[in-house]
């Protein structure tokens, strides 16, 4: 069975983390992704986080389904080799600081002169234009500038950043989407184009109507902890066994079921209970009702009772709960991936299922430069030429 992106060649020049993850999403559905790293400076994700026997585990996820080569793009011979590699490519993904590729003679004009059909995907902290464009940019800065941190955390606490690459991950999904749009447009026009993605923007797009609220009402989203200013009860609650559940009542009918379940049906008749904002204004009272009921029962009993009442609840998991959960098992959310260094490694599967052309993780991240000779040999370089370029630090 063919994959949706069979025959699509992607060259991944990016590091940390949005660009490489976007390329991985494309590889999950059949694209031939060639990961280019500096000969002496591998992708820093190889050294991020825990390692096993000296093998970085984050890279195993981020580098999945990619062939790996080394190439020094700042060397004129390295730049020339990249142009040869891109001559029949469909997509380039890069996240250098704006102006870097141009300095090496690898800007969009030069790339499109070699391959007019190339989709050039440029991911940077602040975009290719504007007063901040040349600043170093990371997802943490986007989480701060987007309004996410300002709206996250306890009301009397500091702005809160996520403990993982949230803005980078959202940007990766947006970049993969942008690439597909650009490839679809190429079907009509016959030519590629430049995708300019600033990491500060996709996460802002995910934060709902905050700009419109402020524009029309002067309203600023406050920090509410686990609560919502749109509905209540909505929070995390501690069970008798010390474990936690999360409850959501975005729908009026769900809110009514929850209050009946916890033995407080009289609150449903209050005038303020009829709207989400009215319930949010009485969150203290509603939280007290739910938390008192939950605190008397173990988590499994709470979840079972909510399920029987058709009310919305979920256990608060760490990774151990995820791996043991039957719903994730039924979806195939986690899979074991073959790996030459670790034997097998479990990781998240592709994030959705296509009925006829499903994605697949064929292998985990490969060793630094593992496919250099095969990839550049296919361009016509002899073994002697490869050895000479490697000696000079080009490969």
């Amino acid at each position: 069975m063919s994959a949706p992106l069979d025959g699509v060649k992607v060259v991944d020049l990016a590091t940390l983390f949005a660009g490489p993850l976007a390329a991985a999403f494309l590889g999950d559905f059949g694209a031939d992704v060639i990961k280019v790293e500096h000969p002496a400076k591998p992708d820093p994700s190889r050294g991020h986080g825990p390692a096993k026997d000296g093998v970085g585990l984050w890279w195993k996820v981020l580098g999945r389904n990619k062939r790996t080569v080394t190439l020094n793009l700042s060397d004129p011979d390295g730049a020339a080799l990249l142009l040869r590699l891109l001559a029949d490519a469909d997509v380039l993904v890069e996240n250098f600081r704006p102006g870097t590729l141009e300095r090496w003679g690898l800007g969009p004009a030069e790339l499109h002169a070699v391959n007019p059909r190339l989709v050039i995907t440029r991911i940077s902290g602040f975009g290719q234009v504007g007063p901040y464009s040349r600043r170093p940019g990371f997802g943490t800065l986007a989480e701060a500038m987007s309004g996410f941190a300002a709206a996250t955390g306890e009301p009397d606490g500091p702005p809160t950043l996520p403990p993982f690459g949230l803005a980078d991950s959202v940007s990766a999904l947006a970049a993969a989407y942008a690439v597909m749009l650009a490839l679809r447009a190429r079907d009509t026009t016959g030519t590629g184009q430049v995708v300019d993605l600033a990491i500060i923007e996709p996460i802002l797009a995910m934060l709902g109507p905050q700009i419109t609220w402020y524009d029309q009402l002067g309203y600023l989203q406050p920090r509410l902890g686990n609560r919502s200013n749109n509905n209540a009860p909505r929070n995390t609650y501690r069970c008798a066994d010390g474990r936690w559940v999360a409850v959501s009542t975005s729908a009026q009918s769900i809110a009514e079921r929850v209050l009946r379940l916890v033995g407080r049906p009289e609150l449903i008749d209050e005038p303020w209970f009829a709207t989400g904002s009215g319930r949010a204004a009485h969150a203290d009272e509603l939280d007290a009702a739910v938390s008192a009921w939950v605190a008397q029962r173990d988590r499994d009993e709470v979840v079972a009772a909510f399920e029987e009442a058709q009310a919305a609840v979920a256990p608060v998991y760490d990774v151990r709960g995820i791996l043991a959960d039957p719903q994730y098992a039924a979806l195939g959310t986690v899979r074991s991936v073959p790996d030459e260094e670790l034997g097998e490694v479990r990781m998240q599967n592709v994030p959705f299922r296509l009925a006829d052309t499903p994605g697949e993780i064929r292998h985990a991240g490969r060793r630094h430069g593992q496919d250099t000779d095969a990839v550049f040999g296919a361009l016509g370089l002899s073994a002697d030429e490869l050895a000479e370029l490697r000696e000079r630090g080009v490969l």
Side-chain angles (χ1 to χ4, degrees):
M1 180 184 298
S2 63
L5 297 180
D6 276 351
V8 173
K9 178 179 176 180
V10 177
V11 176
D12 172 12
L13 306 182
T15 60
L16 289 180
F17 288 97
L21 184 55
F25 288 144
L26 300 174
D28 289 346
F29 286 90
D32 175 20
V33 181
I34 300 172
K35 170 72 175 181
V36 178
E37 299 174 80
H38 191 281
K41 301 173 185 176
D43 188 314
S45 67
R46 291 181 180 271
H48 268 56
K52 180 181 180 181
D53 299 330
V55 177
L57 299 179
W58 201 333
W59 166 253
K60 290 299 177 184
V61 178
L62 199 61
R64 66 183 187 268
N65 292 337
K66 299 179 183 181
R67 296 193 284 166
T68 58
V69 305
T70 55
L71 190 60
N72 183 355
L73 301 179
S74 65
D75 185 291
D77 288 337
L81 264 182
L82 180 68
L83 291 175
R84 291 175 63 179
L85 187 63
L86 291 172
D88 65 346
D90 298 283
V91 179
L92 172 69
V93 180
E94 65 97 357
N95 69 340
F96 294 105
R97 202 177 303 186
T100 301
L101 284 183
E102 286 81 354
R103 189 170 68 248
W104 294 337
L106 295 170
E110 291 84 358
L111 299 180
H112 278 150
V114 170
N115 181 357
R117 292 175 55 80
L118 184 67
V119 173
I120 303 169
T121 310
R122 314 195 76 174
I123 302 172
S124 60
F126 303 101
Q128 299 296 312
V129 299
Y132 303 164
S133 62
R134 299 300 178 95
R135 291 183 181 179
F138 298 98
T140 297
L141 309 187
E143 288 145 11
M145 285 186 64
S146 66
F148 174 86
T152 303
E154 295 299 324
D156 57 351
T160 302
L161 297 166
F164 58 93
L166 176 63
D168 281 301
S169 300
V170 173
S171 292
L173 286 168
Y177 173 50
V179 165
M180 299 310 300
L181 293 176
L183 290 174
R184 179 67 180 92
R186 192 183 70 177
D187 291 342
T188 301
T189 66
T191 59
Q193 60 184 291
V194 175
V195 174
D196 176 10
L197 189 146
I199 296 175
I200 58 174
E201 290 186 302
I203 188 171
L204 177 58
M206 299 298 107
L207 290 178
Q210 291 190 28
I211 290 176
T212 307
W213 282 341
Y214 182 76
D215 174 65
Q216 296 296 306
L217 301 171
Y219 176 81
L220 292 172
Q221 171 71 52
R223 287 193 290 281
L224 298 168
N226 290 322
R227 287 180 173 177
S228 167
N229 54 6
N230 302 312
N231 62 80
R234 191 262 199 184
N235 215 323
T236 57
Y237 305 94
R238 186 168 182 168
C239 305
D241 56 5
R243 296 186 290 180
W244 294 77
V245 295
V247 172
S248 174
T249 58
S250 295
Q252 180 71 21
S253 60
I254 299 296
E256 294 175 6
R257 291 170 193 168
V258 170
L259 269 295
R260 291 191 183 99
L261 174 64
V262 302
R264 296 296 303 276
E266 75 280 3
L267 294 176
I268 299 171
D269 297 326
E270 295 287 346
W272 49 260
F273 196 90
T275 66
S277 58
R279 297 197 308 275
H282 292 78
D284 286 343
E285 186 174 0
L286 294 172
D287 272 345
V290 176
S291 62
W293 186 89
V294 169
Q296 298 173 19
R297 294 160 175 83
D298 289 348
R299 189 189 70 185
D300 291 347
E301 182 183 355
V302 171
V303 171
F306 267 73
E307 183 174 356
E308 183 176 356
Q310 299 185 50
V313 70
V316 176
Y317 282 156
D318 59 21
V319 71
R320 294 169 296 185
I322 294 167
L323 294 175
D325 187 271
Q327 181 61 32
Y328 281 126
L331 294 172
T333 304
V334 178
R335 65 153 297 184
S336 292
V337 178
D339 181 70
E340 295 176 358
E341 295 176 288
L342 300 175
E344 281 197 344
V345 56
R346 284 190 290 183
M347 64 180 67
Q348 304 95 312
N349 205 346
V350 297
F352 48 83
R353 286 155 295 283
L354 299 183
D356 297 329
T357 54
E360 179 187 10
I361 302 176
R362 298 175 295 282
H363 59 79
R366 291 158 75 82
R367 294 187 299 274
H368 181 231
Q370 182 171 342
D371 303 290
T372 299
D373 287 1
V375 170
F376 291 118
L379 296 181
L381 275 69
S382 68
D384 289 342
E385 288 174 309
L386 291 168
E388 190 268 336
L389 290 170
R390 185 171 279 111
E391 178 69 22
R392 292 199 291 111
V394 178
L395 298 181

